[in-house]
Amino acid sequence: MKDRNRWLIVVALATLAGLLYALQPILLPFVVGALLAYLGNPLVHRLMRAGFSRVMAVSATFATLCLAGTVTLVLVLPRLWEQLVYLESRIPSVLRWMNRQGIPWLEQRLRVNIDRIDMDLITEWLTAFWRGADATTTDMLTQIAQSGLHVAATLGLIALIPVVTFYLLLDWDELVQKLRNLLPRQYEPQLVSLAEECDSVLAAFLRGQLMVMMALGLIYGIGLQMVGIKLAMVIGLVAGLASIIPYFGFTLGIVIASLVALFQFGLFIKPLLLVWAVFGIGQLIESWILQPWLVGDRIGLPPVGVIFAIMAGGQLFGFFGMLLALPVAAILVVLLRHAQRRYLNSHWYHGGEPPLV
């Protein structure tokens, strides 16, 4: 009977996975809505403890999410787009500066010979890239123009995100309770304990790490803007996103910002010192305030594991897989931790003898 039940569970899980795969085109609003509802539910609980009704707390949380998203788009996107356009226009000048000043300076300091950058090859590559991007954009726009129904369907799915988010926030606790009631009674305590530990890890990542990334992006961007770096927002965004890997965002950001400062201000030490001070302050704030307060030590995934998880997710499922890699890896860490404890207390590990503790 037990074997039969296990096979039924396997078949049910396989059927669910196949169904989710078949429904991929329409899952976007539900996945994004569930993520936003998961992130916003703690705020709903805080407001309810302050005396708000569930509907009022959900409405206030939903309005906060919408306001935060709107303000971010209005304030950040125009400036970011302006700096990306500036970056595109300055690439040839950067390459010429590297050939005429950057590489000779490195050769003098390091006492090595470095090949010059082939400007013609780079120019041809960039021209081909932009032509390909323009052709791809043109083809995409043509296909969109020829398929009004597809456009309407896509816009409809995007418009569903706030609707799904609001109703999931409204029914979140009830849905969780219904799922708990479906658990087998004899396994409910263990499964609930496991789910709570997974929730703690996911909260540490989704709410904590994402807030750390946003905070670091703002710190680096605003700090570099004060220094006078023209690509401050772009560098801050890149460094903030890359900080999902420990110390990688700091390293990548300070290298890029230093090169930009050298190109923009010349071989002067003061702008470099200011750039290094911005990243030094950001690193101190991350280590002493952001990480302990927002994330803590709950994820339990070492830096090498983070890198492997992101690369594996990208290799298996592309960009979407990279986004989901760390949450899935965090849950797997919890499951493997429980599996390890069960193994170490098993008769098999102790050679057929019962464990000592």
Side-chain angles (χ1 to χ4, degrees), residues 256-273:
I256 296 176
S258 298
L259 292 175
V260 171
L262 286 173
F263 174 74
Q264 185 175 330
F265 300 107
L267 300 177
F268 295 99
I269 192 63
K270 183 178 178 181
L272 276 179
L273 291 177

Side-chain angles (χ1 to χ4, degrees), residues 49 61 81 86 116 143 170 173 243 255 305 309 323:
R49 286 195 295 269
T61 301
W81 178 255
Y86 171 80
R116 297 300 186 269
Q143 291 177 5
L170 198 60
D173 290 347
S243 64
V255 169
L323 294 178

Side-chain angles (χ1 to χ4, degrees), residues 145-207:
Q146 292 175 350
S147 178
L149 184 60
H150 179 70
V151 175
T154 302
L155 293 177
L157 288 177
I158 295 174
L160 271 177
I161 292 176
V163 177
V164 171
T165 302
F166 180 82
Y167 283 107
L168 282 179
L169 271 174
L170 198 60
D171 299 332
W172 189 267
D173 290 347
E174 185 179 350
L175 290 173
V176 171
Q177 186 59 46
K178 287 182 177 179
L179 288 175
R180 182 169 182 171
N181 292 337
L182 291 175
L183 297 176
R185 296 296 90 190
Q186 57 179 335
Y187 300 118
E188 183 197 4
Q190 296 91 334
L191 292 175
V192 168
S193 175
L194 187 61
E196 288 175 348
E197 189 171 346
C198 289
D199 175 68
S200 175
V201 171
L202 279 179
F205 173 73
L206 291 176
R207 302 190 189 107

Side-chain angles (χ1 to χ4, degrees), residues 109-328:
R109 294 295 186 275
L110 301 178
R111 301 182 185 277
V112 295
N113 292 323
I114 303 175
D115 293 335
R116 297 300 186 269
I117 299 173
D118 191 337
M119 293 292 296
D120 293 333
L121 180 61
I122 296 294
T123 302
E124 290 178 5
W125 180 81
L126 288 174
T127 302
F129 174 80
W130 287 115
R131 283 178 180 173
D134 290 341
T136 302
T137 303
T138 303
D139 292 341
M140 183 180 67
L141 292 175
T142 301
Q143 291 177 5
I144 289 176
Q146 292 175 350
S147 178
L149 184 60
H150 179 70
V151 175
T154 302
L155 293 177
L157 288 177
I158 295 174
L160 271 177
I161 292 176
V163 177
V164 171
T165 302
F166 180 82
Y167 283 107
L168 282 179
L169 271 174
L170 198 60
D171 299 332
W172 189 267
D173 290 347
E174 185 179 350
L175 290 173
V176 171
Q177 186 59 46
K178 287 182 177 179
L179 288 175
R180 182 169 182 171
N181 292 337
L182 291 175
L183 297 176
R185 296 296 90 190
Q186 57 179 335
Y187 300 118
E188 183 197 4
Q190 296 91 334
L191 292 175
V192 168
S193 175
L194 187 61
E196 288 175 348
E197 189 171 346
C198 289
D199 175 68
S200 175
V201 171
L202 279 179
F205 173 73
L206 291 176
R207 302 190 189 107
Q209 188 62 44
L210 291 181
M211 291 178 68
V212 168
M213 292 162 57
M214 292 172 58
L216 286 177
L218 287 175
I219 291 171
Y220 295 147
I222 294 173
L224 294 176
Q225 194 81 34
M226 295 173 63
V227 173
I229 301 297
K230 292 183 178 180
L231 297 174
M233 295 301 296
V234 175
I235 298 172
L237 176 65
V238 171
L241 292 176
S243 64
I244 193 172
I245 301 174
Y247 304 109
F248 181 64
F250 168 80
T251 305
L252 183 64
I254 198 171
V255 169
I256 296 176
S258 298
L259 292 175
V260 171
L262 286 173
F263 174 74
Q264 185 175 330
F265 300 107
L267 300 177
F268 295 99
I269 192 63
K270 183 178 178 181
L272 276 179
L273 291 177
L274 291 175
V275 166
W276 297 344
V278 168
F279 281 90
I281 292 171
Q283 188 65 24
L284 289 176
I285 292 175
E286 179 189 11
S287 301
W288 292 355
I289 300 175
L290 297 179
Q291 284 288 346
W293 182 40
L294 297 176
V295 178
D297 192 25
R298 290 174 288 177
I299 293 180
L301 202 61
V304 175
V306 172
I307 297 172
F308 177 80
I310 293 175
M311 292 181 65
Q315 179 67 30
L316 293 174
F317 303 105
F319 180 73
F320 190 68
M322 294 176 67
L323 294 178
L324 293 179
L326 286 180
V328 172

